Amino acid sequence: MAKGEAKARASGTRAAPEPAFVQLLTPEGDRVEHPDYTVDFTDEEYRSLYHDLVVVRKLDAEATALQRQGELGIWASLLGQEAAQVGSGRALRTQDMAFPTYREHGVLYCRGIDPIMPLRLFRGVDQGAWDPNEFKFGMYTIVIGAQTLHATGYAMGVSKDGKVGSDDGEAVIAYFGDGATSQGDVNEAFIWASVFNAPLVFFCQNNQYAISEPLERQTRVPLYHRASGFGFPGLRVDGNDVLACYAVTRKALDDARHGQGPSLIEAYTYRMGAHTTSDDPTRYRIASEVEAWQAKDPIKRLRAFLDKQGIAGDDFFAAIDEEARVAAVDLRERVLSMPDPDPRSLFDHVYPHGSPELDEQRAQFSTYMASFEGSGH
């Protein structure tokens, strides 16, 4: 036992050893073999992965800038977590269903949803306007951990509909963060999914902080170990390795669709920015920690791999950067051109057929709004 670990245990705490995880691509961009997981991509597929990582990061940065300029109410950045999201998002088959938190912009992009949609939500124009049934991607969930219960119920329904047991079967994935593992909803979802053998992959993006609380305030053991207590398998993957995230998620989803029940993936990654734009991470973490994780950047490592393998060159990288820049400009222009919603529209979708009480509230609010007309307000 190392001296540091012995001292930590004597004081009632535990040291944080280097995590063991599934990795296919090192931070230096070198491929490594794993006995259970691999990928077999064409050169074009490797380039396409890089494209998605770069574009998603650029769009996310633009959204953060828009919030800072007062154009969005709030924004939850995915900076640093692109590989976990693009890798797992690409692993989903057409028929699979995803249940996100409020940060899965990369998965949303992989599901073919217009990236303007979450910005409409955070600008207050609507409550989210994509069709979950069409895109097989649920609405953003602000309540921490609640989507794991939604995913569990949906996955139980998939089983009851007999849509498991073949290559064409359906699987479900639920995204959440390390902080959510302390929520009762998540633990209840683990119980129900296990007992009913639901075709569900729990995908935890462990970005090391639950807002300002570090991981050691959430658990004394690696998060993926928790799965064994509920009776299903768990593993940890290098969350900054897009290839490993893809391989691990694809295998877990295929196991689920063939009737092997739930599993837990802990994507060990890092939130490079703030929890949301309301947060100041410099108050609770040091610069050297951020710098250490910058060396593990998911985009830099895939670029290094593409360069070393001769799959892409400077012209390709420059073209992707330009495409991302144009996409960000387009996103900004569309946000700024959004019309403000009629304040009275907040009454439109409370009940499917309305109610006398709601009608009365709408009338009172309309009278209140009319009182400002011509008053100089």
Side-chain angles (χ1 to χ4, degrees), residues 45 65 77 131 134 148 205 214 239 310 339 341:
E45 287 172 331
S77 173
D131 183 347
E134 177 185 356
T148 60
Q205 291 176 82

Side-chain angles (χ1 to χ4, degrees), residues 177-210:
D178 47 290
T181 62
S182 297
Q183 294 287 344
D185 284 7
V186 174
N187 290 271
E188 291 166 9
F190 285 173
I191 294 171
W192 280 79
S194 176
V195 170
F196 288 93
N197 204 47
L200 173 58
V201 175
F202 292 103
F203 194 93
C204 175
Q205 291 176 82
N206 177 4
N207 64 19
Q208 311 302 313
Y209 285 93

Side-chain angles (χ1 to χ4, degrees), residues 181-305:
T181 62
S182 297
Q183 294 287 344
D185 284 7
V186 174
N187 290 271
E188 291 166 9
F190 285 173
I191 294 171
W192 280 79
S194 176
V195 170
F196 288 93
N197 204 47
L200 173 58
V201 175
F202 292 103
F203 194 93
C204 175
Q205 291 176 82
N206 177 4
N207 64 19
Q208 311 302 313
Y209 285 93
I211 309 182
S212 60
E213 292 297 302
L215 182 63
E216 57 265 26
R217 299 287 181 87
Q218 303 294 323
T219 182
R220 290 177 59 130
V221 299
L223 291 175
Y224 73 95
H225 284 184
R226 292 191 175 185
S228 62
F230 294 91
F232 54 86
L235 62 81
R236 175 181 278 175
V237 63
D238 183 346
N240 285 13
D241 176 356
V242 67
L243 305 186
C245 288
Y246 175 92
V248 165
T249 308
R250 173 55 67 94
K251 173 65 163 55
L253 287 167
D254 285 345
D255 287 346
R257 81 178 75 258
H258 281 92
Q260 297 183 34
S263 61
L264 170 64
I265 297 173
E266 178 192 354
Y268 198 82
T269 182
Y270 193 78
R271 191 192 77 219
M272 296 301 298
H275 172 70
T276 69
T277 46
S278 298
D279 171 43
D280 179 8
T282 63
R283 299 181 63 183
Y284 54 82
R285 65 187 190 190
I286 57 178
S288 60
E289 178 183 291
V290 179
E291 292 172 0
W293 277 94
Q294 285 175 338
K296 306 172 185 178
D297 183 271
I299 296 180
K300 289 179 180 178
R301 76 169 67 184
L302 185 57
R303 176 169 179 154
F305 168 75

